Amino acid sequence: MPLIPIEGRDGFFRDSKTKAIINKNANDYNTYITNRQKLSSDQQRISNLESEIDQMKGDLSDIKMLLQHLVEKHK
C-alpha cells in the first residue's frame, strides 16, 4: 500500500489503492485519544450530577410533603 504525502499537511498521506487519507502523526492521534477520554469522563460526570440532582429533587419533595403534613396536623 504505497502512501502519497499530502501537500501542506504534515503527517497526512493518501493510500494510492483505496484513496483513503491516513494520519501518521502519532502526537495528533494521542492528543485526539486524550481529548476523547476527557470528553467521555466529563459526560459521565455530568450524567452522575444530573442523577444526584434528580435524587435531591425527590428528597426535597418528600421533605416538603412531610412538613405540610406536620403543619396540617398541628392546626
Side-chain angles (χ1 to χ4, degrees):
M1 138 177 114
L3 298 177
I4 303 165
I6 296 178
E7 271 186 52
R9 298 295 305 227
D10 291 338
F12 284 82
F13 298 87
R14 182 171 301 277
D15 182 327
S16 61
K17 183 176 181 182
T18 66
K19 305 296 183 205
I21 295 177
I22 300 168
N23 181 359
K24 295 196 83 165
N25 186 327
N27 288 333
D28 286 350
Y29 177 75
N30 290 334
T31 299
Y32 164 77
I33 294 297
T34 300
N35 288 338
R36 188 178 71 180
Q37 289 171 341
K38 183 181 180 325
L39 178 62
S40 178
S41 174
D42 289 349
Q43 289 172 337
Q44 182 62 43
R45 182 174 172 264
I46 289 169
S47 179
N48 289 343
L49 289 170
E50 287 173 341
S51 294
E52 288 180 30
I53 288 170
D54 288 341
Q55 179 64 44
M56 291 172 78
K57 283 181 179 178
D59 292 346
L60 285 173
S61 180
D62 292 345
I63 291 169
K64 180 180 175 182
M65 191 171 52
L66 288 170
L67 287 172
Q68 288 173 340
H69 180 71
L70 284 172
V71 168
E72 289 175 11
K73 195 174 185 180
H74 287 92
K75 280 186 175 179

